[in-house]
Each structure stands twice: as structure tokens, then as C-alpha cells.
Amino acid sequence: MKDVNILAIETSCDETAAAVVKNGRQVVSQALYTQIAIHKEFGGVVPEIASRNHVLKLPQVVETAIRGAGGMENIDAIAVTNGPGLVGALLTGVSYAKGLAYAAKKPLIPVHHIAGHICANYISHPDLKPPFLCLVVSGGHTQIVWVKDETTYETLGRTRDDAAGEAIDKVARVLGLAYPGGPNLQELAKQGDENKYRFPHSFRGEDHLDFSFSGLKTAVINLLHGFEQKGEAYDGADVAASFLKNVADTLVKNTFEAARRTDTKILAVAGGVSANEQIRTAFEKRAREAGIALYFPELRYCTDNAAMIASCAYYEYEKGTRAGLDLNARPVMEL
Ligand code: KG4
Ligand code: ZN
């Protein structure tokens, strides 16, 4: 069988990324320009600034990925994340991919960002095959997905308000940590007592698999404001550790309940928050007890990257999915 190389572009948030992946599993080349240093100053991603920097960096990033694959003649199709995400940021990648596909006379393949996160596990685990269950936990999404086959997904539970990553970034900010809060909160929590504070768990005793993190976020912020108003000293590390434990417990509880209901012994976790050490440890412990095979992407493929988009695009390509030059960015998009 002939090898298929796909070039993918990802610009849904603050990473400008391009990669070439062979047969959906093997990374041939990749380039990533992270805008973290730019947005740090503002304490979060500023959409307009993200778009402008994508426009500036895309030519260089895409060129590096193409060159790493030995030139455009080695590329069979061009893929791009067309949603969900920041609309302006998505548009820069979609426009670039359309121009490239037209000029190079290559097919254009649209990819759903969440499907991309799931497929990050295919890059890190060449043996992983559907059906399996996947928890996607990122800055924008918290979703339990049944992966029926490489291109068919069913959402079993999702957050009704904040994504886990959103709550993590907000709590980190109130604790005075720099953007992006997740990795900094993880390090602070290592020095804290995770049993020091008890925060509320959402939807206790309810039958659905949905999440809610906004009540938890508010409880943590109220506690910190209370300390400040009373001029009471507190250890931020204890707050960070107790908060992360609550997040991990909730993610574990719903995800393993979904595994029980779907009667699966294969579970994957994906998305930026799946890089978190405390959350990984909680999942590993429970997976051992339940006799479930657990998969995480390598750290570099947890957060936004283009290799995961190229992996996803390979299966869409094989199925015959193609986009026209009228492809548009879609900020909100069902999986
Ligand atoms: O998947 P991602 O790169 O972008 C979205 O699609 O949203 O996820 C970014 C999120 C941010 O909220 C960031 O703080 C969080 O992932 N994150 C982490 C860690 N690394 C990234 N959260 C906790 N611990 C980490 N080590
Ligand atoms: Zn993402």
C-alpha cells in the first residue's frame, strides 16, 4: 500500500503549528511557534493578537514542516483545524490551507479540533485502535467521548459551564500565578496538602455524566477573597493541591462510570489538562484497580499541536472526506 503523508495546520488558539504525518501515526516533520510569551503579559489569550501572530508566523512554520518532509511533492493532502476555537485564529489557518491546497493542487481536509486531541493518542500509541473511551480535557472543552471508529464519535458527557482547563487557569490567576496557569498550578500543588480544604463536588448523586466546574472555581475564589478580607495568612500550595484533587476526583468519577456503562477496558485521556501530573496519577491509580488499559499522549501532544490534526485527517482522507475552497472557520462545532 502507498504511504500517505498529510500536512496539517493548527491555529485554533495561541499555538501556530504545522506538521507532516505518515499514515496517521508517524510524525515526519513538525514546527510550532508558541505565543505564550506574548499573551502572558495580558494574563490570558487575546484573540486579536493571536490572529495577527498566526498571520506573521504561518509562512515560516508551514515552510519548515514542508521542508522537513522533503518538499510539497511528498505531500498527499493538506488538512486544517476549521473549528471549534477562536474564530479569527481559525480563519488564518483555514485561509492559509486553502491557498496552499489551491496552489499545490492537493485535496483539502477539514479537522475538528477535539477529534484532533483524541488522535494525539494514535501518534503516541501506534497500537491503540477504536473502539475506546476518551476523556478530552482542555482549556476549552471537557468531554467524555465514545470513539466508535477512527471517524465516528459519540459524546456521553460534557461540561455545562467552564472547561476544567478554564477553571484551572482562573484559579491559578487568583493565586497570582503567571499564564498559562496549568503547569504553574501543578508545581505549586506539589508542595501543598491536598486534604487541607474540602471544596464542593458538582452533580453528586446524579445519573448523567456531565461536568460543572464553575461552582468549584467560585468556591476557591471566595475562600481566597475571605482570607484577604480578614487579613488571614494562607498557603497557596494547600489551596492549589486541594483544588486539583477535587478536579481529578470529578474527572475520574465520571470517566470511569462511563467506562463501566460502555463496558470498555480501553481508556484514553487527551487535551492540555491531560499533561497534569496529579490528574495522570489519579487516573493511573483507578485504572489499575479497574483493570483498564490507560493511554495518555506524550506531553508535547497533550497541548495544541498539528501532528494530532494530521493524524485525524489521515482517517478522514481514507474515508473520502474533502472540503471545497468555500471551507469556513466555525468557532462552535459539534463533534
Ligand atoms: O488543549 P490545549 O492546549 O488548548 C485547548 O484546546 O484549550 O489546553 C490548554 C489548557 C490550559 O487551560 C492549560 O492551563 C492546561 O491546558 N494545561 C495544564 C497543564 N498543561 C496545560 N493544566 C494542568 N496541568 C498541566 N501540566
Ligand atoms: Zn486544544
Side-chain angles (χ1 to χ4, degrees):
M1 235 170 68
K2 188 190 165 293
D3 288 334
V4 175
N5 285 321
I6 295 187
L7 166 70
I9 296 174
E10 154 64 43
T11 61
S12 68
C13 191
D14 60 346
E15 314 281 0
T16 315
V20 175
V21 171
K22 184 163 109 184
N23 301 333
R25 301 272 175 166
Q26 202 181 325
V27 179
V28 176
S29 65
Q30 58 183 325
L32 186 139
Y33 170 76
T34 179
Q35 300 182 11
I36 286 176
I38 296 169
H39 298 283
K40 203 174 206 154
E41 195 182 327
F42 305 97
V45 178
V46 184
E48 179 63 17
I49 294 177
S51 309
R52 285 170 190 272
N53 281 284
H54 286 314
V55 171
L56 281 176
K57 295 294 174 185
L58 265 168
Q60 187 187 326
V61 165
V62 173
E63 184 58 34
T64 304
I66 296 172
R67 219 181 301 127
M72 199 52 141
E73 62 272 25
N74 295 332
I75 289 162
D76 298 284
I78 292 162
V80 64
T81 307
N82 73 314
L86 302 170
V87 69
L90 286 165
L91 261 179
T92 66
V94 168
S95 308
Y96 204 89
K98 286 202 279 190
L100 211 56
Y102 179 72
K105 300 189 175 62
K106 308 278 180 188
L108 179 66
I109 303 170
V111 174
H112 191 290
H113 185 73
I114 300 302
H117 273 300
I118 294 171
C119 295
N121 275 292
Y122 296 147
I123 305 257
S124 296
H125 309 285
D127 56 315
L128 177 63
K129 284 193 174 62
F132 60 87
L133 190 71
C134 187
L135 169 71
V136 183
V137 62
S138 71
H141 299 268
T142 305
Q143 208 160 321
I144 300 174
V145 179
W146 177 245
V147 184
K148 198 169 165 208
D149 61 44
E150 283 88 351
T151 58
T152 316
Y153 306 96
E154 186 191 345
T155 298
L156 304 180
R158 54 156 38 107
T159 183
R160 295 197 188 170
D161 40 56
D162 292 4
E166 205 176 337
I168 287 173
D169 289 344
K170 189 69 198 280
V171 166
R173 194 170 166 171
V174 177
L175 281 169
L177 303 173
Y179 175 83
N184 292 325
L185 194 80
Q186 165 183 306
E187 293 312 308
L188 180 65
K190 283 181 187 167
Q191 285 128 48
D193 172 6
E194 63 175 23
N195 296 313
K196 179 78 184 260
Y197 300 103
R198 298 248 176 246
F199 298 116
H201 287 87
S202 56
F203 303 141
R204 268 269 157 95
E206 291 189 29
D207 198 43
H208 57 77
L209 297 170
D210 284 349
F211 300 98
S212 163
F213 291 103
S214 120
L216 168 65
K217 176 189 74 182
T218 307
V220 177
I221 293 171
N222 285 346
L223 177 81
L224 292 173
H225 283 170
F227 286 143
E228 275 155 30
Q229 276 166 1
K230 287 179 267 176
E232 230 172 86
Y234 66 91
D235 187 350
D238 292 338
V239 177
S242 303
F243 163 69
L244 267 181
K245 181 181 188 315
N246 184 301
V247 172
D249 283 351
T250 302
L251 293 174
V252 163
K253 179 177 157 285
N254 284 18
T255 307
F256 282 84
E257 173 58 16
R260 193 191 65 77
R261 291 185 193 182
T262 50
D263 195 25
T264 186
K265 289 287 174 199
I266 311 175
L267 171 64
V269 188
V273 179
S274 72
N276 183 267
E277 283 180 34
Q278 289 90 344
I279 291 170
R280 283 185 174 224
T281 304
F283 271 84
E284 278 158 2
K285 180 169 177 283
R286 187 61 180 276
R288 261 195 311 276
E289 291 163 3
I292 285 179
L294 179 64
Y295 297 87
F296 291 105
E298 294 153 78
L299 290 184
R300 67 187 301 189
Y301 300 125
C302 287
T303 44
D304 290 347
N305 65 89
M308 68 184 198
I309 304 301
S311 170
C312 202
Y314 168 76
Y315 296 102
E316 293 292 347
Y317 176 86
E318 292 288 288
K319 204 174 84 172
T321 305
R322 303 288 184 268
L325 292 177
D326 57 349
L327 179 69
N328 207 350
R330 291 171 61 190
V332 181
M333 195 175 166
E334 279 299 309
L335 184 60

